[in-house]
Each structure stands twice: as structure tokens, then as C-alpha cells.
Amino acid sequence: KSFAKKIIEKAEQNLEEINEIINKHFTKNPETISTIDKALIILGITSLKYFKEIPPAVSIDEAVTLAKSFGSTNYMYKVINKILDSINKNQNA
């Protein structure tokens, strides 16, 4: 519960920057992302950018696992994986 609260607060504090990142990395119109898919992407980006103690592979895997269960389509986990992997590579370049 404590970590969930921390990640949500951090996402809210940095939502403008996170939305800019989504717009840069989502190849289609970001407005077409379902609410649940966007929430999963936001949580993944927040984990990657602001919780450096969490290995990037863990952050990405958690978002992908959640997307497999809760994503809007049966392939959204692949899209989320691609977006978060790209973000991770760009921030470490």
C-alpha cells in the first residue's frame, strides 16, 4: 500500500512531463490510448524515471504483466513493452 501511494503521488506530481514522454514515444495519436492503458504506461514511466532503486527490467516487466491482465486489447502489453523499453534506452543513452 505504501509503495502504491508513493508511485501515484510521484506520477501526479510529474504528470505533465510524463505526458510529454508518452506523446514522444507513442507512434499513434496518444488520444487513442484507453484510460487503463495510459494508466499502466504512466505507472511504468514513473517507476523508470523516479524510482531508480527499482531495476528497469522489473519496472517494465511489472507494467507488461499488468497489461496482460488489464490492458484494453490482447496485444497492448506488447505496445507498453515497446514504449517503456524505448524510454529506458533513451534515458540511459
Side-chain angles (χ1 to χ4, degrees):
K1 233 178 179 179
S2 174
F3 179 72
K5 185 176 179 179
K6 286 181 189 176
I7 198 166
I8 290 168
E9 287 174 352
K10 187 61 81 171
E12 287 175 339
Q13 293 167 358
N14 296 285
L15 193 55
E16 188 174 321
E17 179 184 9
I18 292 168
N19 280 325
E20 288 175 15
I21 293 167
I22 292 170
N23 291 339
K24 191 164 115 178
H25 289 275
F26 195 73
T27 55
K28 297 181 181 179
N29 180 355
E31 299 297 318
T32 64
I33 304 172
S34 77
T35 303
I36 188 67
D37 296 334
K38 189 166 184 181
L40 294 171
I41 294 167
I42 288 169
L43 291 175
I45 292 170
T46 302
S47 182
L48 284 172
K49 286 193 61 63
Y50 305 107
F51 292 86
K52 299 295 185 183
E53 67 274 14
I54 301 172
V58 172
S59 295
I60 294 168
D61 186 58
E62 287 298 320
V64 168
T65 299
L66 289 169
K68 285 179 180 178
S69 295
F70 302 106
S72 65
T73 66
N74 62 351
Y75 63 85
M76 185 48 82
Y77 75 93
K78 294 177 184 179
V79 174
I80 290 174
N81 183 59
K82 183 177 177 182
I83 290 169
L84 295 178
D85 188 53
S86 175
I87 290 166
N88 182 51
K89 287 177 181 171
N90 284 334
Q91 77 178 5
N92 291 322

